Amino acid sequence: MEIRTALPGEGAQVVGLINELIVELGGPMLPVDEAISTTESFVADEYDGEIIVASQGAELVAVCNITYQPSIRTFGKYGIIQEMYVVPKFRSANLGAQIIEKAISQAKSVGCPIVELSTPPDGARAEHFYRSVGFDQIGIRMRSKL
């Protein structure tokens, strides 16, 4: 198993994993072509963030998208894990923890003092996992669709 940043041309596999996450959470799948374009923009460093993947051979089995957001409260930018997904048959094998460790290492390398994330409603399993890898609950994230 290799933990690394996503490579050019892996957008379709990354989007496939993120769509699996969204479906698992009960949401509608992303439009694939637009999502692949956005993914490839991350890979090409057009956005401030990166996509961490776990690969087994040519197959991606996990993904973690981390973005960097500027903030006054952190005296610069901080990391936000936007999407995190591990294929079910690879869960409970420390793979998620390894990907989080890589994402945190990447965030530290660009000067982020903290990394934040949100969990889904009724996400007790996810909350337990993130606590086990060093995250603390700080509140509820809210959204307004525009």
Side-chain angles (χ1 to χ4, degrees):
M1 192 74 58
E2 182 182 13
I3 310 292
R4 58 175 172 75
T5 56
L7 302 172
E10 291 183 323
Q13 284 192 76
V14 168
V15 170
L17 291 174
I18 291 173
N19 269 333
E20 287 182 40
L21 167 67
I22 292 169
V23 167
E24 188 174 298
L25 296 175
M29 293 177 70
L30 298 171
V32 174
D33 290 340
E34 288 178 64
I36 290 172
S37 177
T38 302
T39 300
E40 292 296 339
S41 292
F42 266 103
V43 173
D45 290 329
E46 294 174 25
Y47 293 122
D48 199 10
E50 43 211 317
I51 300 170
I52 309 297
V53 296
S55 62
Q56 186 172 53
E59 180 186 8
L60 300 185
V61 297
V63 63
C64 179
N65 177 23
I66 184 167
T67 58
Y68 307 124
Q69 174 68 39
S71 174
I72 294 169
R73 70 185 166 92
T74 59
F75 309 112
K77 57 185 163 185
Y78 70 102
I80 303 172
I81 293 177
Q82 302 289 355
E83 293 101 5
M84 166 72 179
Y85 182 75
V86 176
V87 171
K89 74 178 185 178
F90 292 94
R91 293 179 187 167
S92 300
N94 201 38
L95 183 56
Q98 291 174 46
I99 288 181
I100 292 291
E101 181 180 309
K102 175 74 170 174
I104 288 171
S105 174
Q106 295 291 103
K108 283 180 184 177
S109 76
V110 297
C112 294
I114 62 172
V115 172
E116 295 181 354
L117 55 83
S118 61
T119 57
D122 302 319
R125 183 172 181 211
E127 289 172 21
H128 175 75
F129 166 73
Y130 288 117
R131 281 190 186 99
S132 77
V133 294
F135 285 80
D136 296 312
Q137 187 169 0
I138 58 169
I140 297 174
R141 186 176 220 176
M142 300 176 79
R143 169 186 311 159
S144 175
K145 289 187 177 186
L146 308 177

Coordinates of all heavy atoms in Angstrom, one line a residue, residues 19-87:
N19 N -17.5 10.0 -4.9 CA -18.9 9.7 -5.1 C -19.4 8.6 -4.3 O -20.5 8.6 -3.8 CB -19.2 9.4 -6.6 CG -19.6 10.7 -7.4 OD1 -20.1 11.6 -6.8 ND2 -19.3 10.7 -8.7
E20 N -18.5 7.6 -4.0 CA -18.9 6.5 -3.1 C -19.1 7.1 -1.7 O -20.1 6.7 -1.0 CB -17.8 5.5 -3.0 CG -17.7 4.6 -4.2 CD -16.6 3.5 -4.1 OE1 -16.5 2.9 -3.0 OE2 -15.9 3.3 -5.2
L21 N -18.3 8.0 -1.2 CA -18.5 8.7 0.0 C -19.8 9.4 0.1 O -20.6 9.2 1.0 CB -17.4 9.7 0.3 CG -17.6 10.7 1.4 CD1 -17.6 10.0 2.8 CD2 -16.5 11.8 1.4
I22 N -20.1 10.2 -1.0 CA -21.3 11.0 -1.0 C -22.6 10.1 -1.0 O -23.5 10.3 -0.2 CB -21.4 11.9 -2.2 CG1 -20.3 13.0 -2.0 CG2 -22.7 12.5 -2.4 CD1 -20.0 13.8 -3.3
V23 N -22.5 9.0 -1.7 CA -23.7 8.0 -1.8 C -23.8 7.4 -0.4 O -24.9 7.2 0.1 CB -23.5 7.0 -2.9 CG1 -24.4 5.8 -2.7 CG2 -23.6 7.7 -4.2
E24 N -22.7 7.0 0.2 CA -22.7 6.4 1.6 C -23.4 7.3 2.6 O -24.1 6.9 3.5 CB -21.3 6.0 2.0 CG -21.2 5.2 3.3 CD -19.8 4.8 3.6 OE1 -19.2 4.0 2.8 OE2 -19.3 5.2 4.7
L25 N -23.2 8.7 2.4 CA -23.7 9.7 3.3 C -25.2 10.0 2.9 O -25.8 10.9 3.6 CB -22.9 10.9 3.3 CG -21.5 10.7 3.9 CD1 -20.6 12.0 3.8 CD2 -21.5 10.2 5.3
G26 N -25.7 9.5 1.8 CA -27.1 9.7 1.4 C -27.3 10.9 0.5 O -28.4 11.3 0.3
G27 N -26.2 11.4 -0.2 CA -26.3 12.5 -1.1 C -26.3 12.1 -2.5 O -26.0 10.9 -2.8
P28 N -26.5 13.1 -3.4 CA -26.5 12.8 -4.8 C -25.0 12.8 -5.4 O -24.2 13.6 -4.9 CB -27.3 13.9 -5.5 CG -27.1 15.1 -4.5 CD -27.0 14.4 -3.1
M29 N -24.8 11.9 -6.3 CA -23.4 11.9 -6.9 C -23.1 13.2 -7.6 O -23.9 13.9 -8.1 CB -23.3 10.7 -7.8 CG -23.4 9.4 -7.2 SD -23.4 8.0 -8.3 CE -21.7 8.0 -8.9
L30 N -21.8 13.5 -7.6 CA -21.3 14.6 -8.3 C -21.3 14.4 -9.8 O -21.2 13.2 -10.3 CB -19.8 14.9 -8.0 CG -19.5 15.2 -6.5 CD1 -18.0 15.2 -6.3 CD2 -20.1 16.5 -6.1
P31 N -21.5 15.4 -10.6 CA -21.4 15.3 -12.1 C -19.9 14.9 -12.4 O -19.0 15.7 -12.1 CB -21.8 16.6 -12.7 CG -21.9 17.6 -11.5 CD -21.8 16.8 -10.2
V32 N -19.7 13.8 -13.0 CA -18.3 13.2 -13.1 C -17.4 14.1 -13.8 O -16.2 14.4 -13.4 CB -18.4 11.8 -13.7 CG1 -17.0 11.3 -13.9 CG2 -19.2 10.9 -12.8
D33 N -17.7 14.6 -15.0 CA -16.8 15.4 -15.8 C -16.4 16.7 -15.1 O -15.2 17.0 -15.1 CB -17.4 15.8 -17.2 CG -17.6 14.6 -18.1 OD1 -16.9 13.6 -17.9 OD2 -18.4 14.7 -19.0
E34 N -17.3 17.4 -14.4 CA -16.9 18.6 -13.7 C -16.0 18.3 -12.5 O -15.1 19.0 -12.2 CB -18.2 19.3 -13.2 CG -19.0 20.0 -14.3 CD -20.2 20.6 -13.7 OE1 -20.1 21.6 -12.9 OE2 -21.3 20.2 -14.1
A35 N -16.4 17.2 -11.8 CA -15.6 16.8 -10.6 C -14.2 16.4 -11.0 O -13.2 16.7 -10.3 CB -16.3 15.7 -9.9
I36 N -14.1 15.7 -12.2 CA -12.7 15.3 -12.6 C -11.9 16.5 -13.0 O -10.7 16.6 -12.6 CB -12.8 14.3 -13.8 CG1 -13.3 13.0 -13.4 CG2 -11.4 14.2 -14.5 CD1 -13.7 12.0 -14.5
S37 N -12.5 17.5 -13.6 CA -11.8 18.7 -13.9 C -11.3 19.4 -12.7 O -10.1 19.9 -12.6 CB -12.7 19.7 -14.7 OG -12.1 20.9 -15.0
T38 N -12.1 19.5 -11.7 CA -11.7 20.1 -10.4 C -10.6 19.3 -9.7 O -9.6 19.9 -9.3 CB -12.9 20.2 -9.4 OG1 -14.0 21.0 -10.1 CG2 -12.6 20.9 -8.1
T39 N -10.7 18.0 -9.8 CA -9.7 17.1 -9.2 C -8.4 17.3 -9.9 O -7.3 17.5 -9.2 CB -10.1 15.7 -9.3 OG1 -11.4 15.5 -8.6 CG2 -9.1 14.7 -8.7
E40 N -8.4 17.4 -11.2 CA -7.1 17.5 -11.9 C -6.6 18.9 -11.7 O -5.3 19.1 -11.7 CB -7.4 17.3 -13.4 CG -7.7 15.8 -13.8 CD -6.5 14.8 -13.5 OE1 -5.4 15.3 -13.3 OE2 -6.8 13.6 -13.3
S41 N -7.4 19.9 -11.4 CA -6.9 21.3 -11.0 C -6.1 21.2 -9.7 O -5.1 21.9 -9.5 CB -8.0 22.3 -11.0 OG -8.6 22.5 -12.3
F42 N -6.6 20.4 -8.8 CA -5.9 20.2 -7.5 C -4.6 19.6 -7.8 O -3.5 20.0 -7.2 CB -6.7 19.3 -6.5 CG -7.6 20.1 -5.6 CD1 -8.9 20.2 -5.8 CD2 -7.0 20.7 -4.5 CE1 -9.8 20.9 -4.9 CE2 -7.8 21.4 -3.6 CZ -9.2 21.5 -3.8
V43 N -4.6 18.6 -8.6 CA -3.3 17.8 -8.8 C -2.3 18.7 -9.5 O -1.1 18.7 -9.3 CB -3.6 16.6 -9.7 CG1 -2.4 15.9 -10.2 CG2 -4.5 15.6 -8.9
A44 N -2.8 19.6 -10.4 CA -1.9 20.6 -11.1 C -1.5 21.8 -10.3 O -0.9 22.7 -10.8 CB -2.6 21.0 -12.4
D45 N -1.9 21.8 -9.0 CA -1.6 22.9 -8.1 C -2.2 24.2 -8.4 O -1.7 25.3 -8.1 CB 0.0 23.1 -7.9 CG 0.6 22.0 -7.2 OD1 0.0 21.4 -6.3 OD2 1.8 21.7 -7.5
E46 N -3.4 24.1 -9.0 CA -4.2 25.4 -9.3 C -5.0 25.8 -8.1 O -5.4 27.0 -8.1 CB -5.1 25.1 -10.5 CG -4.3 24.9 -11.8 CD -5.2 24.5 -13.0 OE1 -6.4 24.9 -12.9 OE2 -4.7 23.9 -13.9
Y47 N -5.2 24.9 -7.1 CA -5.9 25.3 -5.9 C -4.9 25.1 -4.7 O -3.9 24.4 -4.8 CB -7.1 24.4 -5.7 CG -8.2 24.5 -6.7 CD1 -8.6 23.5 -7.4 CD2 -8.8 25.8 -6.8 CE1 -9.7 23.6 -8.3 CE2 -9.8 25.9 -7.7 CZ -10.3 24.9 -8.5 OH -11.3 25.0 -9.4
D48 N -5.2 25.8 -3.6 CA -4.3 25.7 -2.5 C -4.8 24.5 -1.6 O -5.6 24.6 -0.7 CB -4.4 27.0 -1.7 CG -3.2 27.2 -0.7 OD1 -2.3 26.4 -0.8 OD2 -3.3 28.1 0.1
G49 N -4.2 23.4 -1.9 CA -4.5 22.1 -1.2 C -4.0 21.0 -2.0 O -3.3 21.1 -3.0
E50 N -4.3 19.8 -1.5 CA -3.8 18.6 -2.2 C -4.7 17.4 -1.9 O -5.5 17.4 -1.0 CB -2.4 18.3 -1.9 CG -2.0 18.4 -0.4 CD -0.6 18.8 -0.3 OE1 0.2 18.2 -1.0 OE2 -0.3 19.6 0.5
I51 N -4.6 16.4 -2.8 CA -5.4 15.2 -2.6 C -4.4 14.1 -2.3 O -3.4 13.8 -3.0 CB -6.1 14.9 -3.9 CG1 -7.1 16.0 -4.3 CG2 -6.8 13.5 -3.8 CD1 -7.7 15.9 -5.6
I52 N -4.6 13.5 -1.1 CA -3.8 12.4 -0.7 C -4.5 11.1 -1.0 O -5.7 11.0 -0.8 CB -3.5 12.4 0.9 CG1 -3.0 13.8 1.3 CG2 -2.6 11.3 1.3 CD1 -1.7 14.2 0.8
V53 N -3.8 10.1 -1.5 CA -4.5 8.8 -1.9 C -3.7 7.7 -1.3 O -2.5 7.8 -1.0 CB -4.6 8.7 -3.4 CG1 -5.6 9.7 -4.0 CG2 -3.3 8.7 -4.1
A54 N -4.4 6.6 -1.2 CA -3.7 5.3 -0.9 C -4.0 4.4 -2.1 O -5.1 4.3 -2.6 CB -4.3 4.6 0.3
S55 N -2.9 3.9 -2.6 CA -3.0 3.0 -3.8 C -2.5 1.6 -3.5 O -1.6 1.4 -2.8 CB -2.2 3.6 -5.0 OG -0.9 3.7 -4.7
Q56 N -3.2 0.7 -4.1 CA -2.8 -0.7 -4.1 C -2.6 -1.1 -5.6 O -3.6 -1.3 -6.3 CB -3.8 -1.6 -3.4 CG -3.3 -3.0 -3.2 CD -4.2 -3.8 -2.3 OE1 -5.4 -3.8 -2.6 NE2 -3.7 -4.4 -1.3
G57 N -1.4 -1.1 -6.0 CA -1.1 -1.2 -7.4 C -1.6 0.0 -8.1 O -1.4 1.1 -7.7
A58 N -2.4 -0.2 -9.2 CA -3.0 0.9 -10.0 C -4.3 1.4 -9.4 O -4.9 2.4 -9.9 CB -3.1 0.5 -11.4
E59 N -4.8 0.7 -8.4 CA -6.2 1.0 -7.8 C -6.0 1.9 -6.6 O -5.3 1.7 -5.7 CB -6.9 -0.3 -7.4 CG -8.2 -0.1 -6.8 CD -8.9 -1.3 -6.3 OE1 -8.2 -2.4 -6.2 OE2 -10.1 -1.2 -5.9
L60 N -6.8 3.0 -6.6 CA -6.9 3.9 -5.5 C -8.0 3.3 -4.5 O -9.1 3.0 -5.0 CB -7.3 5.3 -5.9 CG -6.3 6.0 -6.8 CD1 -6.8 7.4 -7.0 CD2 -4.9 5.9 -6.3
V61 N -7.6 3.2 -3.2 CA -8.5 2.6 -2.3 C -8.9 3.5 -1.1 O -9.7 3.2 -0.3 CB -7.9 1.3 -1.7 CG1 -7.8 0.2 -2.8 CG2 -6.6 1.5 -1.0
A62 N -8.3 4.7 -1.2 CA -8.7 5.7 -0.2 C -8.3 7.1 -0.7 O -7.3 7.2 -1.5 CB -8.0 5.5 1.2
V63 N -9.0 8.1 -0.2 CA -8.7 9.5 -0.6 C -8.9 10.5 0.5 O -9.8 10.2 1.4 CB -9.6 9.9 -1.8 CG1 -11.0 9.9 -1.5 CG2 -9.2 11.3 -2.4
C64 N -8.1 11.5 0.6 CA -8.3 12.6 1.6 C -7.9 13.9 0.8 O -6.8 14.1 0.4 CB -7.4 12.4 2.8 SG -7.5 13.7 4.0
N65 N -8.9 14.8 0.7 CA -8.7 16.1 0.1 C -8.6 17.1 1.2 O -9.5 17.3 2.0 CB -9.9 16.4 -0.8 CG -9.8 17.8 -1.4 OD1 -8.7 18.3 -1.6 ND2 -10.9 18.3 -1.8
I66 N -7.4 17.8 1.2 CA -7.2 18.8 2.2 C -6.9 20.2 1.5 O -6.2 20.2 0.5 CB -6.0 18.5 3.2 CG1 -5.9 19.6 4.3 CG2 -4.7 18.2 2.4 CD1 -5.0 19.2 5.4
T67 N -7.6 21.2 1.9 CA -7.4 22.5 1.4 C -6.9 23.4 2.4 O -7.0 23.1 3.6 CB -8.8 23.1 0.9 OG1 -9.7 23.2 1.9 CG2 -9.3 22.3 -0.3
Y68 N -6.3 24.5 2.0 CA -5.7 25.5 2.9 C -6.4 26.8 2.8 O -6.6 27.3 1.7 CB -4.2 25.6 2.6 CG -3.5 24.3 2.6 CD1 -2.7 23.9 1.5 CD2 -3.5 23.4 3.7 CE1 -2.1 22.7 1.4 CE2 -2.9 22.2 3.6 CZ -2.2 21.8 2.5 OH -1.6 20.6 2.5
Q69 N -6.9 27.3 3.9 CA -7.7 28.5 4.0 C -7.0 29.5 4.8 O -6.6 29.3 5.9 CB -9.0 28.1 4.6 CG -10.0 29.2 4.9 CD -10.5 29.8 3.6 OE1 -10.8 29.1 2.7 NE2 -10.6 31.1 3.6
P70 N -6.9 30.8 4.3 CA -6.3 31.8 5.1 C -7.3 32.3 6.2 O -8.5 32.2 6.0 CB -6.1 33.0 4.1 CG -7.0 32.7 3.0 CD -7.2 31.2 2.9
S71 N -6.7 32.6 7.4 CA -7.5 33.0 8.5 C -6.7 34.0 9.4 O -5.5 33.7 9.6 CB -8.0 31.8 9.3 OG -8.6 32.2 10.4
I72 N -7.4 35.0 9.9 CA -6.8 35.8 10.9 C -6.5 35.1 12.2 O -5.4 35.2 12.8 CB -7.7 37.1 11.2 CG1 -7.7 37.9 9.9 CG2 -7.1 37.9 12.3 CD1 -8.8 39.0 9.9
R73 N -7.4 34.2 12.6 CA -7.3 33.6 13.9 C -6.1 32.6 14.0 O -5.6 32.3 15.0 CB -8.6 32.8 14.3 CG -8.9 31.6 13.4 CD -10.3 31.0 13.8 NE -10.7 30.1 12.8 CZ -10.4 28.8 12.8 NH1 -9.8 28.3 13.8 NH2 -10.9 28.0 11.9
T74 N -5.6 32.2 12.8 CA -4.5 31.3 12.8 C -3.2 32.0 12.2 O -2.2 31.3 12.0 CB -4.7 30.0 11.9 OG1 -5.1 30.4 10.6 CG2 -5.9 29.2 12.5
F75 N -3.3 33.3 12.1 CA -2.2 34.1 11.6 C -1.6 33.6 10.3 O -0.4 33.6 10.0 CB -1.0 34.1 12.7 CG -1.5 34.5 14.0 CD1 -1.5 33.6 15.1 CD2 -2.0 35.8 14.3 CE1 -2.0 34.0 16.3 CE2 -2.4 36.2 15.5 CZ -2.4 35.3 16.6
G76 N -2.5 33.2 9.4 CA -2.2 32.7 8.1 C -3.2 31.6 7.7 O -4.3 31.6 8.1
K77 N -2.7 30.6 7.0 CA -3.6 29.6 6.6 C -3.7 28.4 7.6 O -2.8 28.1 8.4 CB -3.3 29.1 5.2 CG -1.9 28.6 5.0 CD -1.7 28.3 3.5 CE -0.2 28.2 3.1 NZ -0.1 28.0 1.7
Y78 N -4.8 27.7 7.4 CA -5.0 26.4 8.2 C -5.6 25.4 7.3 O -6.1 25.7 6.2 CB -5.8 26.6 9.4 CG -7.3 26.9 9.2 CD1 -8.3 25.9 9.3 CD2 -7.7 28.2 8.8 CE1 -9.6 26.2 9.1 CE2 -9.1 28.4 8.5 CZ -10.0 27.4 8.7 OH -11.3 27.7 8.5
G79 N -5.5 24.1 7.6 CA -6.0 23.0 6.8 C -7.4 22.7 7.1 O -7.8 22.7 8.3
I80 N -8.1 22.3 6.1 CA -9.5 21.8 6.2 C -9.6 20.5 5.4 O -9.3 20.5 4.2 CB -10.6 22.7 5.7 CG1 -10.5 24.1 6.4 CG2 -11.9 22.1 5.9 CD1 -11.4 25.2 5.8
I81 N -9.9 19.4 6.1 CA -10.1 18.1 5.3 C -11.5 18.2 4.8 O -12.5 18.3 5.6 CB -9.9 16.9 6.2 CG1 -8.4 16.8 6.6 CG2 -10.3 15.6 5.6 CD1 -8.0 15.7 7.5
Q82 N -11.6 18.2 3.5 CA -12.9 18.4 2.8 C -13.6 17.1 2.6 O -14.8 17.0 2.8 CB -12.7 19.1 1.5 CG -12.1 20.5 1.6 CD -13.0 21.5 2.2 OE1 -14.1 21.3 2.5 NE2 -12.4 22.7 2.4
E83 N -12.9 16.1 2.1 CA -13.4 14.8 1.8 C -12.4 13.7 2.3 O -11.2 13.9 2.1 CB -13.7 14.5 0.4 CG -14.8 15.4 -0.2 CD -14.3 16.6 -1.0 OE1 -13.1 16.7 -1.2 OE2 -15.2 17.4 -1.5
M84 N -12.9 12.7 2.9 CA -12.0 11.6 3.4 C -12.8 10.3 3.2 O -14.0 10.2 3.7 CB -11.7 11.8 4.8 CG -11.1 10.6 5.5 SD -9.4 10.3 5.0 CE -9.1 8.9 6.1
Y85 N -12.3 9.3 2.5 CA -13.0 8.1 2.2 C -12.0 6.9 2.1 O -11.0 7.1 1.4 CB -13.8 8.2 0.9 CG -14.6 6.9 0.7 CD1 -15.8 6.7 1.4 CD2 -14.3 6.0 -0.3 CE1 -16.6 5.5 1.1 CE2 -15.0 4.9 -0.6 CZ -16.2 4.7 0.1 OH -16.9 3.5 -0.1
V86 N -12.4 5.8 2.7 CA -11.6 4.6 2.6 C -12.6 3.5 2.1 O -13.7 3.4 2.7 CB -11.0 4.2 3.9 CG1 -10.3 2.8 3.8 CG2 -10.0 5.2 4.4
V87 N -12.2 2.8 1.1 CA -13.1 1.7 0.6 C -13.4 0.7 1.7 O -12.4 0.4 2.5 CB -12.3 1.0 -0.6 CG1 -13.1 -0.3 -1.0 CG2 -12.2 1.9 -1.8

